Amino acid sequence: MTLILNTPTPRAGPSYQGSVLLWLVVAPNGRPRNIRVQRSLGMGLDEKAIEAVSQWRFQPATLNGQPVAVQINVEVSFRLY
């Protein structure tokens, strides 16, 4: 799953792009929890990625018809101009 956030930056100069890889647990209610950075980008973008993903709601995984918690990775891409 990839989210692309275009974040304006006040600095002049060349553009910068990269991605933050997050590890998280999707709870049975579909809410993300235990969000951790697996691959950092720095410049405050790790925190922005966590902030964005923490607002998401997922379709929970099911086992025998019942919602269960699962671990997933989420990649959040940034392009700064």
Side-chain angles (χ1 to χ4, degrees):
M1 186 175 301
T2 300
L3 168 69
I4 298 176
L5 298 176
N6 291 318
T7 306
T9 181
R11 68 179 174 85
S15 64
Y16 183 79
Q17 66 182 24
S19 60
V20 176
L21 183 63
L22 301 176
W23 175 94
L24 60 96
V25 173
V26 176
N29 64 3
R31 295 180 183 264
R33 65 178 192 201
N34 301 337
I35 302 173
R36 298 183 187 143
V37 176
Q38 291 296 304
R39 186 177 64 232
S40 176
L41 192 54
M43 301 187 315
L45 297 175
D46 300 342
E47 292 79 11
K48 290 293 185 183
I50 291 170
E51 182 182 320
V53 172
S54 67
Q55 296 176 32
W56 292 5
R57 296 300 171 260
F58 296 85
Q59 180 75 33
T62 58
L63 178 65
N64 298 324
Q66 298 297 315
V68 294
V70 293
Q71 299 174 359
I72 65 168
N73 288 312
V74 175
E75 183 176 21
V76 181
S77 298
F78 292 90
R79 291 189 190 112
L80 305 176
Y81 300 100

